[in-house]
Amino acid sequence: MISASDISAGLSNIQSTDNLTDLDALRVFWLGKNGLITKEFKQMSTLSKEQKADLAKVLNDFKSKILDAIAAQKNTLLDRAIDQELSKTKDVSLPSRRMHVGRIHPITQVINKLYHFFELRGFTSYSHDHNFELESEDNNFTFLNIPENHPARSMQDTFFIKDKVLRTHVSASQPRILKSIEPPIKAVVFGRVYRSDQPDATHVPVFHQMECLYVDDQCSFSHLKDTIDAFITYIFGKKMKIRYRSSYFPFTVPSVEIDVWLPQEKKWLEILGAGMVHPEVLRNAGHDPEKLRGFAFGVGIERLAMIYFGLSDVRQLYGADLDLLAGCNLWQ
Ligand code: DAH
């Protein structure tokens, strides 16, 4: 019969093992198939019911003490092994070194925030299809009702590559979407556009736009206005002073441009062009302009970033001043 003092001697044996093999040997000694405790359990069959119950209680208590001690000792041995391994190569008591963490570029932050807004309003982003930087002249110009003699079609304003163009605006996605998505259409597309511009404080030859296209049987200028007002408030986190200016785009009628007031510089800055989709654009994509209406707008992403982050020169967004870029956080 195992006594309580046998068990306490057993426990201190377990606590003094210094390796996992010895520890496992002790487990077998007590609890293995022929272990001391196991054997006693087996011998219980000869006892009366009451004796059995009393003994089982004692044996189960011994068993759990041994198991707990083995588990605790195993943890101690494993920790010790890790400490030993670390002390061979590293001094873990040294203070940590600052890790350099990258940031999301301000342009990408603006894109992400716009994406979030339009996703919540039920728009789908077609940035992964219908979104080509190298476009046909048809998609960039002709299907958008841009006439042959339009200045954008001249060599000075547009990069031509064989029979294609580096698109001058993300509106070039409109014909693709109109031809392949069944209305109602609620689409946004983000991407790079190219213009043969001399870089200055407000122009770079490659920049980013978001194109928004909404087409349905019921759609009015007031839907356009609501969408634009709401997204501008969302992006800047407050109501901005904006103005709608009448304008001309071959692919919208009527057309407007929208400016944001910059109080510090005391001037208006244009951020987007918009309008009701021109009947000719719908017709070019095989739709009946009597049955469908739409609105569209194209936003300059760099312009939004400049206003939000208070930058005076668009080139700062593409410069090497990492402190400036790291300080740009749209989600604060
Ligand atoms: N594509 C125009 C540009 O790049 C902007 C624009 C104006 C887009 C009116 C539109 C629109 O969708 O309806 O200047």
Side-chain angles (χ1 to χ4, degrees):
M1 174 70 200
I2 307 167
S3 68
S5 63
D6 292 336
I7 292 299
S8 60
L11 293 179
S12 59
N13 261 346
I14 288 170
Q15 281 149 8
S16 56
T17 50
D18 63 1
N19 65 75
L20 292 171
T21 318
D22 287 355
L23 187 63
D24 198 54
L26 285 176
R27 182 189 61 78
V28 173
F29 175 79
W30 288 104
L31 297 165
K33 236 193 209 161
N34 296 312
L36 289 189
I37 295 181
T38 319
K39 268 196 202 148
E40 292 237 5
F41 269 117
K42 282 182 189 161
Q43 285 161 9
M44 282 199 317
S45 55
T46 57
L47 302 177
S48 72
K49 213 172 165 192
E50 291 76 32
Q51 286 173 318
K52 245 189 220 169
D54 289 347
L55 187 59
K57 216 167 152 206
V58 174
L59 288 178
N60 277 326
D61 178 50
F62 287 171
K63 184 176 169 181
S64 64
K65 280 188 174 135
I66 296 283
L67 279 175
D68 287 352
I70 288 174
Q73 187 62 9
K74 190 168 178 185
N75 277 341
T76 309
L77 292 177
L78 289 177
D79 284 352
R80 202 177 293 162
I82 290 169
D83 284 348
Q84 271 169 2
E85 199 52 40
L86 279 177
S87 68
K88 271 191 226 154
T89 50
K90 305 265 184 284
D91 179 355
V92 288
S93 64
L94 280 175
S96 61
R97 210 175 288 167
R98 221 180 129 213
M99 213 166 97
H100 182 76
V101 181
R103 303 287 172 89
I104 296 180
H105 191 276
I107 293 291
T108 312
Q109 291 183 41
V110 174
I111 290 175
N112 290 348
K113 199 162 177 182
L114 283 167
Y115 174 80
H116 190 246
F117 172 87
F118 284 96
E119 190 189 32
L120 287 177
R121 285 212 158 202
F123 284 76
T124 301
S125 166
Y126 290 101
S127 301
H128 301 289
D129 41 16
H130 313 301
N131 186 11
F132 295 85
E133 291 177 24
L134 197 57
E135 262 293 6
S136 67
E137 280 199 60
D138 280 349
N139 282 331
N140 199 80
F141 300 124
T142 317
F143 294 149
L144 290 171
N145 199 33
I146 299 179
E148 287 292 338
N149 58 353
H150 194 282
R153 292 222 184 193
S154 78
M155 287 293 194
Q156 293 111 288
D157 288 308
T158 301
F159 295 110
F160 287 80
I161 297 178
K162 292 192 185 146
D163 60 336
K164 299 232 187 292
V165 293
L166 282 173
R167 67 173 170 197
T168 58
H169 52 182
V170 183
S171 306
S173 293
Q174 274 195 33
R176 292 181 176 279
I177 292 172
L178 285 168
K179 279 181 193 161
S180 49
I181 313 284
E182 205 45 51
I185 295 170
K186 290 177 88 175
V188 284
V189 185
F190 299 89
R192 264 188 291 266
V193 300
Y194 300 81
R195 294 198 193 160
S196 181
D197 277 338
Q198 204 56 32
D200 63 24
T202 48
H203 295 90
V204 275
V206 186
F207 58 99
H208 298 77
Q209 287 186 332
M210 183 199 77
E211 181 78 12
C212 176
L213 176 66
Y214 184 107
V215 176
D216 203 349
D217 49 0
Q218 297 285 330
C219 171
S220 71
F221 198 86
S222 112
H223 293 127
L224 168 68
K225 199 158 178 288
D226 173 62
T227 309
I228 289 175
D229 291 350
F231 102 73
I232 293 176
T233 306
Y234 181 78
I235 283 294
F236 293 105
K238 60 177 183 215
K239 199 127 190 77
M240 301 293 279
K241 186 171 167 187
I242 57 174
R243 73 172 178 197
Y244 285 66
R245 238 180 330 105
S246 165
S247 181
Y248 170 76
F249 298 102
F251 36 97
T252 43
V253 62
S255 303
V256 287
E257 280 175 300
I258 283 128
D259 303 330
V260 171
W261 177 250
L262 308 179
Q264 265 163 9
E265 293 157 49
K266 295 197 172 38
K267 64 171 195 193
W268 293 100
L269 184 69
E270 184 210 321
I271 57 160
L272 66 86
M276 301 306 290
V277 177
H278 196 289
E280 204 53 41
V281 174
L282 292 170
R283 208 171 286 125
N284 288 340
H287 294 294
D288 180 354
E290 297 295 321
K291 296 198 179 120
L292 283 178
R293 306 200 64 192
F295 70 71
F297 58 91
V299 194
I301 307 281
E302 275 78 354
R303 292 280 165 98
L304 296 182
M306 283 173 75
I307 299 171
Y308 190 92
F309 300 120
L311 306 177
S312 54
D313 191 320
V314 62
R315 290 167 293 190
Q316 289 172 295
L317 288 166
Y318 297 104
D321 186 346
L322 294 185
D323 286 338
L324 177 132
L325 294 175
C328 291
N329 187 353
L330 190 59
W331 297 88
Q332 265 163 357

